Amino acid sequence: MRIQRRYTLATFLIASFIMMPAPVPAAGSLTDVESEIQALRNENERNQQRIKELEETVGQLKARQAEQPKAEQAATSGLRPDILRRALDTYYGEHRFLITGYGFAQYHWDDNANHNTFSGGFNPIFLFRLNDRLLFSGELEVKLPEDAETEVNLEFAQADYLVNDYLTVTAGKFLLPFGEFIERLHPPWINKLVTHPLPFREGDEGGIMPFTDLGVQLHGGAGLGYGLGADVDYTAYVGNGPRFDTGDGDGAIGDPLTFNNDDLNRSKGFGARVGFRPLPFEWNAGRLRIGASTYDGEWDAKGGKWFTAWGIDSVYQYGDAELRGEYISTRRDLPGAVRDEREGYYIQGSYMLSQIAPSPWDRVELVARYSGQNQRQAPEGQLPHPRQVSLGVDYWITPSVVWKLEYDRDIPRDAPNNHEFLSELAVGF
Amino acid sequence: MSARPIRWLVVLLGAALLLGASAARADDRGDDKALFRRGAELWPQYCGGCHKARPGGERSAAEWDTIMLHMRTIANLPADNASAIHAFLRSH
């Protein structure tokens, strides 16, 4: 009986122990737990928010990274050489700068003068276009004098301003717009022979006209109104005028021309040229140009002694054939009653074989020229009545690169005949 | 005697300025087809007058802008014909 009771007590104790509820916290610590949970919730919310923000940032970064190549491409495409060049070209206005000009290599054999030599030259031309109306151009002549180091001359330096369709104003040092040879034909890639026609040799070589003047030109051109290609063109100019090297004297027959860079007297020189192209293209009658020029001025330091010159020039082109010629007459007052009178002329014919010969002979052009000059007395080393027959064969590698062969027969009135042989490679660029 | 040239110069420059004040038309760079065709026709006629005609492919359009200004002043070309040749050369 006692044992049973003991068992009952033990069971009770165990059961009560098992069933004993967990220790219940006091009422105050319950609110603590609640606030802690709230704090955790808040923190969780903040973390969620931060994650969202970070995700957004990463997204943006990724998108930006994806954009990068496109932007880079766009940026570099702006640097393509042609676009860059165009950008530089138009930087600060609309100017364009261009270097052009010509170079040549020459060989000259002269029987009488006992002359057998190579020579060469290089003439860069600088063109600077400020806008559609204003051009600056300058040419340097880099040449080898007979027995000295390289020499550099300023051939021309001029500004041209297109005032309107019919008028251009040019100022500076310019090639003399007298006839066609000086202004338009003398560069060696244009001149079909190696030599110049006798009256158009440069001043110190015996020619009878100055090649340049310093001053102002008004010039332009217009249609004549009866067909495309029938035009008139004009030039009028004021310059320092002509100057002669008189040595120690007051001037004598045969004084050579020299430069008048700083005008030796107070009076100016005047010149003009009018040119016509009378044949409209639709007539299919070939192309004809006719021009008349004059150049006049007081040449002496005291003033009062005049130099006057006039000339005519013409060229006719039909297909591959060309015939051209010029005539010049000059007169110079001298102290006393005498006058220094000079005249010169040339006529030149050429024919390009392009239509009648097979390649490569179609690039050959045959040229013949006769030129002469007369004066009472010539500068030292020159003859007063030279005459020259020149025959040439040109090979045109491109329209501005030509190889020339020339044979000259000098038949002066006042000296024995002479032969010359020349060859030249001329490159216009 | 020496006053005469100065008077000349003044008269010439005065005339130039007067003419300049009249409506001045610059070389318009049209890409217009008719202008191009006219230029193609005129190019061998005018541009072979002094030297062998230089073809359009030799130079860029911007270079032709400069060279045509140069040639127009050397050759005293009528303005409208110069514009047509310019349009032809620059479109090469």
Side-chain angles (χ1 to χ4, degrees), chain A residues 66-115:
Chain A
E67 284 291 312
Q68 199 85 353
K70 274 188 230 161
E72 244 166 43
Q73 221 176 327
T76 47
S77 78
L79 288 176
R80 277 190 2 235
D82 53 332
I83 295 178
L84 182 66
R85 196 167 82 178
R86 209 178 313 149
L88 287 176
D89 272 351
T90 54
Y91 172 72
Y92 207 72
E94 235 203 298
H95 60 229
R96 300 281 195 285
F97 183 65
L98 181 67
I99 297 182
T100 158
Y102 52 88
F104 60 91
Q106 212 185 80
Y107 169 74
H108 185 184
W109 179 91
D110 188 330
D111 193 6
N112 265 3
N114 210 358
H115 194 77

Side-chain angles (χ1 to χ4, degrees), chain A residues 94 163 165 219 231 287, chain B residues 20 25 29 45-46 52 76:
Chain A
E94 235 203 298
V163 178
D165 282 1
H219 56 118
D231 311 321
R287 295 171 281 166
Chain B
R25 180 158 53 95
R29 296 189 221 147
Q45 304 275 9
Y46 277 108
K52 304 270 177 223
N76 285 335

